[in-house]
Amino acid sequence: MAIETLVLGAGQEVGKSCVVVNINGKRIMFDCGMHMGVSDHRRYPNFSLISPTGDFDTALSCIIITHLYCINTLFLRFHYFLIIKISHSLILYSYIFFFGIICDSHLDHLGALVYFTEVCGFHGPIYMTYPTKALAPLMLEDYRKVLVERRGEEEQFNSDHIAECMKKVIAVDLRQTIQVDKDLQIRAYYAGHFTLFEYLTLILKVLGAAMFHAKVGDSEMVYTGDYNMTPDRHLGAAQIDRLRLDLLITESTYGTTIRDSKYAREREFLDAVHKCVSAGGKVLIPTFGLGRAQELCILMDDYWERMNLKVPIYFSAGLTKQANVYYKMLINWTSQKIKDSYPTNNAFDFKNVCKYERSVLDTPGPCVLFASPGMISGGLSLEVFKRWAPFENTLVALPGYCLPGTVGHVLMSKPPKIELDPNTKIDVRCQVHQLAFSPHTDSKGIMDLIKFLSPKHVILVHGEKPKMVSLKEKIHSEMGIPCYHPANNETVSVPSTVYVKAQASDAFMERCLKPNFKLHKCSSQELSIKTLTDKNIVPELQVINEKAVFIVEDKSKKLKVVHNDEVLVMLGEKKTED
Amino acid sequence: MGVLSAIQPFELHHHHTASTTSPLKGDYYQYLAKFKCGDERKEAADQSMKTYQNNTPESIRLISMQTFTSMMNEILNPSTPKSTVSSIFKTLIHSLLHSPESHHSQILKLITDLSSHHPSLAQLALDSLQSMLPQLTDPPSQLTIEYLDALVNISERPVEVDDSLFTSICLAASFPVRLWMVRNSGCRVMVRPKLLYPVLMGMTKEPYPCVREESLEALVRLGECAVFEEVSLVKGCYERGVQLLSDNEDCVRISAVRVVALWGLMLASFNVDMKTYWSNEVFAMLCSVVRDMNMKVRVEVFNGLGKMEIVSKELLMQSLSKRVLVLDQSPTEQFVLLASNVAGALVHGVEDEFFEVRKSVCQSLRALTVLSVEFAHAALNLLMDVLNDYKVEVRFQALETMHHMAINHCLELQENYMHKFLDVLEDNSSEVRFSARKIVRLMKLRNHLLFKSTMDVLLKNLDSYPQDEADIFSVLSHLGRNHKQFVDLIANEIADEVTASFEGNREFNSARMAALLVLSISAPFLNADVGPIPPVIFSFAATFLSRICCAFSDVMNRDTLLEYLIQKSSSMVQPEVNISNGEGQNPLAKDDVQNVAGNEMIHSEITINNGEGQLPLSKYNVQNVALEMKPPNDVGQHKQPVHDSVVLTYINYILVKLPNIWPKVQSYSANEVLCSLRHWKEELTSLTFDSSAPADASAFALLYLKIIKLVVEVWDHLVRKTEVVSGTVELEDKLEKLDRRAKELMNRFVGFSAEEEISVLELILLTYTLRLCRAEICSRNFIFKRMTIIYLRTESFLKLRSDVASGFVAELGNLIRESSNGGASCSSLAFDNCLKLFSPKRLMIPEGIRHRRAELSIPNNCPDYPLPFAPGLTASIPCDITIHNISSNCRAWVRMCINDGFTQHVYLDLQSFEVSGEVRKISYAVPYYRTPEVDSFNLKVCIGLESLFENVTPVQAHGGPKCELVLLCEEKIVYLSRVL
């Protein structure tokens, strides 16, 4: 028997995750993403490889979606317009670049799901975690609109399709074992969180990423989706049991990167902010409403609490409220810290963070302001920037990458002046601090997971080919586990564990219940002799392992396990028979 | 009882059949015992036991649950008679032999409880259980274990089990039996290590995870107590541990980590040559499981890492970097093998999601940083990051680790860390702050700027966390001692600030002043060289003595500190002499000028505020000069007056401060003022004196402060009139007290100069004014009369000195003149206006001030030894009286009060006293005439002086003092009892 893995997407590439695994006759599709970099048929996984006839219901047992990426589309539109306003010469470039990134990253775990279920016609069960299920329709709908309205593409599926598709989805909780059918059982493990591109703060960290463990008969495998091995202020590290796995399919986006501790960066950030505030300056942190902002808020709120700082922190992003509602609802999917503090005070109810009001802008004295959007591309953050930048005691902390063409990007080179348009020039005397938070699992995390699970085989997906190759070498040399990195539409077959049923004799069973060792007592005489001969090893009692087990095949071709004491008896019987 | 006797025949007849009678009868007696008491109860209980004992084996089967319960009650009841207990015991042992096995566990439980409640029976129980044990071991079953368990529970020491029993239990088919044995072996059950080891090793291969876990735990116990001579055994165990590190069960992995850590270290310590090699192996092995998914495993790993005794530097450094390090020199073979396992282990730990793990990492760093200095430096970076952790426990642990590093001289805080570290000093958890300060104490700062910023943070701390004051002072004193050179640099700044504050209005921020003083006086602590610190600082410091002495409690107590301060401050007299000798204008050395500057400022200020020319200054200087003139080699005599002068100076400083607080009183911040008053009072009461002059001065100052305090309190009451209603009684009480105190101030001190007299009089006028401000006061006229007398006196003094009356006195005078008919017409409002004009004068302690006081003792009298008396006859009370500073023309009285209020006065003829200077002594049997018709009574005796000033109302009609008495001592109670 074997486990056959058909990689439909994310084979030696990033995006469009879709892997179909055939374990002992059961076929499971893990993730169903689409590739936005191309607009032709290659966008979707080649579903025809699953079933040439299009009869997916019999070909597939179920679909499992590990998680989704979501995008703040409101911001997306906003951003788009503001770029135009800021600098005419950059419009086109920004536009393309912007969507280029989206194309690469977006919805690569469930983008094609609706297409597959509604257009191609799959009626089997779809599994995803509660948070994913809660957020998926919103994202899909937003995304559909972006595709159709902004890019003017042909509609592949409509709103009704999304609703129909969602009806087929079954939500699962962490560590809940689900018996899909008689043989197949699956279980979700907490995978931490994951974002694809670190420089894209607009992609939100999403709760609810899970690793899925699937078991058919005696064969077991884990599909990781995207995961994180290093905890974060608001999301924990992946957690999984030690399992006896035949196959581990893991993502390998950061197959060669090793990341340093982010504590040092947090420290620098806090120091910079504290220094600025205690000197009476104002701090501007341009961020988006979700994800990173929450993390920074938790960080700052803690620090404020600890240091007894009274300087106000303002938060302007309107979306935070909505996001916090989700976080609160799904507290189980967050980090230990938040779970710890939840009964007494919700970590998202920040003590020192208050709501931004317009009057804050002109209030003298130190303050910290989280303003959207990030990258200072417009809106409030640009407005505040214009006002505060000319002062030397102001600090602008950029929590992430800034796209070229935005003020944030220009600011990183610390110019004395920024020209917004021919009429507006801003004197920049403020200090600039750049935070490079990188919340992704790295090659060490991948290696650690593999080491912990010690599977018999590893398949790498969702990564660039050179990185995969180097990671594969490493896994092979350090752990001696065979490793594969199939390209799209390739199939890898690995042997699976099959247990053979055999009868056990009563004597054997009895022996099994007892400890399988025997104490060998040395007589005092022996002891003295031994002392003479070998001075080093003279335990009075020695443990002799008696593990002699014989497997015999009887006349009816059935296997039987017997104890070695019985073998002699059986042999004797045979002789008499003969 | 009636009910019970009625039950008996009925019950027994009812259950008639032979087989059931006996146990039921036993039960019945048991039941009976519950209701009866005393002997009857004992009898009933005994009877029930006997009945049980006589039972046949068959019938015992019927001992019901209820019987067990009632036995339990008997056992737990401490009043159960001994004989009953022992018969219960016999019954239990008996039934163990005869009852079915299903009952045994309950019976054993009862025996165990019985032994623990009645230790005298424990040994007997042990013996009988041990004798039964051999029958049960073939084959070992659950029952065997229950017997052993009972044995172990009864015996306080570990029970020894012989080899064959142990092996047979360990090889038993039933796994709970094996589990029990493994769990208890090595702690409650003693087995020879030689036997235990192979058995446990075998057990680690069990299919049951809990047995594997327990056997690993037992191996840990074994490793802790037993000594193994063969390397192979230790190595074998270590390797087994390593194998089980990858067990599928979490609990097994936790124990395996422990085994690896412990036995690995044993292995390493076997051979000195191989020690590093094996230690490295163990270190790497533990590091390799650092990313286990189970939190407890990770905690255990770091606990294990914290026990390492030696690890090569390269590996330690590797554990701080996730990337495999590229070494300068060619790495050892071992390093190449282990590096990837070790990589970033500690970093992962610090980043862990669970605070337990992070805490454990910090703890393990404690041991690891000692191993290599270079590693300690690198690890500090990690610890600095941890200081941002959101959990107090973790931050605290990180600081404790840093403290440990500091003790071991491997903590070097670079400048860029210092900033972060100083932030921690302001942490909102007091635990963390204290821990951080512990480190500051040990710190050796590199440059002046760091020192300055550390100092600033500590001073800021005083503001934000006043509750930490004592600790902060202590830290500052250490800081000063360790960095004399830096303190010297800022000594002048400090001196300026302190001096300015002492003369100005800012001494309310006295915590800061005290802190600065602590810092500067601690600098020359360990060497005699004072450096640029002005000596006046030391005398300033003396005024904060009780507050700051805790800062030096590690090296000296309060008295030695005072001596130290006096010694150091005495050097300030030197330049003073120069000035006083008329050479003050001569050019002086630069340092001297600075020193003098500090002193002069104070003096001149005092002078100006007295508005009285040169007098106080010269007085003060003369005093100092006089001290200095004494031969310097005569240390014993020299020291004494210096002490006195310091005390005097100190008292004066306090008094000088008083007028400054007045504006605060008027601006209604009474609490603040009260606080500093209280503080000064404490300072004063804490002084010790070697001679009488400062004692008198301090008594005066203390009384003065008390009056001011009362004035402030009353003022506060009067100003905030709304609260007066609720506090009327209290206010009246305070006014009464104020009156008394003012009188004391007038009468008990002599030796005022005219000017001081005026100040005192003014204060007394103030007290009266305050009383009159209360509209509803009853004895208005009386008080007004008294006030008039005092006013006239003040006026006469003022005339004598041809001075101008202060605004307050003048206004009061107007008021008095206007109201011809005795003040009743004056509204309290008018007095209110007067009050607003009042401001206290700057008062210097007059040099010649004398405190009139008396000491009274009644020898051989206490409640147990009362003096004899016969009712109706005069009793004599023997008194030893010492009076101070009272001239013979004063009229002193002994006042004796009995509880019913009757008072008798006896005149003291001062001429008959034995005179020695200002002290007069006499032993005098005071007669008491009115002895009552009782068995015993108490007499309150004290000595009073006739008030010289006020003669408003005659107090006693005849035979007594003509004027009001001012008490000179505490009232003494004399106990008298009737002569039988």
Side-chain angles (χ1 to χ4, degrees), chain A residues 143-158:
Chain A
Y143 203 63
R144 189 189 63 79
K145 280 184 194 156
V146 171
L147 283 180
V148 176
E149 289 166 20
R150 295 260 160 253
R151 297 175 84 179
E153 282 180 14
E154 190 189 332
E155 197 174 68
Q156 298 280 358
F157 50 86
N158 57 32

Side-chain angles (χ1 to χ4, degrees), chain B residues 406-659:
Chain B
I407 290 172
N408 288 294
H409 304 292
C410 51
L411 179 78
E412 201 178 317
L413 284 171
Q414 285 125 27
E415 268 172 63
N416 49 339
Y417 291 151
M418 235 5 236
H419 165 67
K420 177 69 217 152
F421 181 76
L422 292 179
D423 277 356
V424 181
L425 282 174
E426 292 171 57
D427 201 283
N428 71 347
S429 145
S430 64
E431 248 181 328
V432 173
R433 288 199 306 272
F434 275 91
S435 193
R437 283 197 216 111
K438 258 190 343 200
I439 300 169
V440 177
R441 267 174 234 212
L442 297 172
M443 244 167 4
K444 258 288 180 199
L445 296 169
R446 285 251 189 81
N447 65 45
H448 167 234
L449 280 175
L450 285 183
F451 174 76
K452 191 90 173 45
S453 52
T454 312
M455 188 185 88
D456 286 344
V457 170
L458 284 170
L459 290 178
K460 209 169 117 200
N461 242 284
L462 269 180
D463 279 344
S464 28
Y465 304 102
Q467 67 270 32
D468 290 359
E469 190 183 284
D471 194 53
I472 293 170
F473 283 178
S474 154
V475 173
L476 280 169
S477 94
H478 280 87
L479 202 66
R481 277 179 252 173
N482 293 338
H483 306 92
K484 183 173 178 338
Q485 70 279 24
F486 299 142
V487 177
D488 287 353
L489 282 177
I490 55 166
N492 290 332
E493 274 170 56
I494 294 181
D496 288 349
E497 187 180 345
V498 172
T499 325
S501 148
F502 264 74
E503 71 197 24
N505 250 352
R506 279 173 288 149
E507 74 280 6
F508 292 108
N509 189 7
S510 55
R512 184 182 160 85
M513 287 307 114
L516 287 174
L517 287 169
V518 168
L519 187 69
S520 39
I521 62 168
S522 60
F525 205 70
L526 301 172
N527 47 2
D529 177 26
V530 176
I533 297 160
V536 69
I537 290 292
F538 293 95
S539 51
F540 283 141
T543 66
F544 283 103
L545 186 62
S546 69
R547 198 162 171 182
I548 62 176
C549 70
C550 55
F552 296 91
S553 56
D554 54 336
V555 278
M556 51 170 61
N557 65 14
R558 186 202 176 97
D559 293 341
T560 39
L561 177 64
L562 183 63
E563 222 161 275
Y564 162 77
L565 291 175
I566 290 159
Q567 191 208 332
K568 293 284 183 195
S569 66
S570 67
S571 57
M572 80 176 176
V573 176
Q574 196 61 45
E576 289 270 344
V577 175
N578 291 339
I579 298 167
S580 309
N581 288 350
E583 296 165 284
Q585 306 311 315
N586 286 2
L588 295 163
K590 191 169 170 255
D591 278 6
D592 282 351
V593 170
Q594 277 166 348
N595 291 347
V596 175
N599 292 333
E600 257 188 345
M601 266 150 92
I602 293 172
H603 293 165
S604 57
E605 214 226 358
I606 293 167
T607 315
I608 291 157
N609 281 285
N610 275 337
E612 236 297 296
Q614 208 47 27
L615 181 67
L617 173 60
S618 59
K619 220 198 271 176
Y620 186 64
N621 279 349
V622 165
Q623 197 180 18
N624 282 333
V625 174
L627 300 169
E628 196 52 35
M629 286 311 176
K630 293 190 175 176
N633 54 348
D634 192 356
V635 180
Q637 285 180 8
H638 182 64
K639 223 164 140 190
Q640 189 75 40
V642 173
H643 183 178
D644 287 356
S645 83
V646 169
V647 171
L648 272 181
T649 327
Y650 166 39
I651 293 168
N652 272 329
Y653 284 150
I654 289 179
L655 289 183
V656 161
K657 284 184 209 166
L658 271 178

Side-chain angles (χ1 to χ4, degrees), chain B residues 328-384:
Chain B
D328 298 342
Q329 72 274 35
S330 59
T332 56
E333 205 174 306
Q334 192 192 16
F335 178 80
V336 175
L337 281 173
L338 302 178
S340 70
N341 274 345
V342 175
L346 292 172
V347 181
H348 285 310
V350 164
E351 282 177 355
D352 202 279
E353 188 179 353
F354 291 85
F355 83 92
E356 291 92 335
V357 182
R358 297 197 298 270
K359 190 176 157 192
S360 183
V361 180
C362 295
Q363 217 151 12
S364 70
L365 278 175
R366 213 181 145 110
L368 295 176
T369 45
V370 181
L371 304 181
S372 150
V373 179
E374 200 180 318
F375 171 73
H377 285 196
L380 189 60
N381 194 17
L382 208 60
L383 283 172
M384 279 293 158

